[in-house]
Amino acid sequence: EDSSAFYISKTKCMFFLDEIGNILAKSTVKGWIDLSSSLPSGMDSNVRGHSFKPDNSTLIYGFVDSGLDLNHPEFLGEDGNTRVVALWDMTAEGTPPPGFLHGAAYSGEEIAAGLVSPAGQSGHGTAVAAIAAGRSGAAPGASIAAVKLASARTTDIMRAVKYLLDQAEERRMPCVVNLSYGPNCGSH
């Protein structure tokens, strides 16, 4: 039997499941950070007025997750200083970021001075951030910003993304946002 015929019939059956929202054909996606590949036609390395550098030092990598272990060595720069430039802990009491009503926001200076208690309890956010932007990760020169979510509600996630984009805009840096937070009972 032709295996592709089986795959097509299985895909047709999957389409009628409530859990399946969309089925896309297999494709290759090239990211803009991969500077070894060319950017899409009509684009150059200057996106919204920000230039990309091969060492990722002009990039802010934002994480929406369970928090970060701020003392983890993966988040230190070559000079030994933290590369975490901003943190919003939605679960903490304190001064929220401008325009938001809850949680506590911390600057890179407060983080570097050790004035922030560790925001990561489960380890998931720390692991994800280390893989993506740690010293031995994919973007070892990137600045890091993070949000520790209070819940997986869509409104909290949207607020977290807004905060990260605000941080990037304030620094005039392009931003990559990682949203790998979610329950184990579905896609995330």
Side-chain angles (χ1 to χ4, degrees):
E1 180 179 329
D2 181 9
S3 63
S4 62
F6 173 75
Y7 178 76
I8 290 170
S9 65
K10 187 175 179 182
T11 303
K12 285 181 181 177
C13 290
M14 286 174 44
F15 186 71
F16 294 103
L17 296 173
D18 289 337
E19 294 85 4
I20 306 296
N22 195 4
I23 299 175
L24 299 173
K26 181 180 175 184
S27 63
T28 301
V29 178
K30 291 184 179 180
W32 290 350
I33 288 187
D34 180 4
L35 295 178
S36 63
S37 64
S38 61
L39 292 170
S41 177
M43 299 271 321
D44 61 18
S45 62
N46 191 333
V47 179
R48 288 189 65 203
H50 307 294
S51 296
F52 292 110
K53 290 185 178 178
D55 65 3
N56 306 117
S57 65
T58 62
L59 173 71
I60 190 165
Y61 213 133
F63 296 92
V64 177
D65 212 297
S66 61
L68 290 179
D69 176 354
L70 298 171
N71 299 317
H72 199 289
E74 280 291 315
F75 307 131
L76 299 177
E78 294 296 323
D79 58 3
N81 293 322
T82 185
R83 291 184 8 252
V84 181
V85 298
L87 171 71
W88 179 18
D89 185 342
M90 289 183 170
T91 67
E93 294 291 324
T95 304
F100 298 97
L101 301 176
H102 67 281
Y106 303 99
S107 67
E109 292 77 20
E110 292 170 312
I111 295 165
L115 302 176
V116 183
S117 59
Q121 302 302 324
S122 75
H124 186 268
T126 298
V128 168
I131 291 166
R135 290 178 74 162
S136 56
S143 295
I144 300 168
V147 177
K148 178 179 180 180
L149 287 174
S151 74
R153 291 188 316 240
T154 302
T155 52
D156 276 352
I157 294 169
M158 291 175 6
R159 288 178 183 120
V161 171
K162 168 82 168 88
Y163 169 79
L164 295 171
L165 296 176
D166 288 350
Q167 294 301 308
E169 193 66 32
E170 180 181 306
R171 292 167 176 78
R172 299 205 30 82
M173 298 172 80
C175 184
V176 172
V177 176
N178 179 287
L179 294 168
S180 56
Y181 186 83
N184 291 329
C185 59
S187 62
H188 67 287

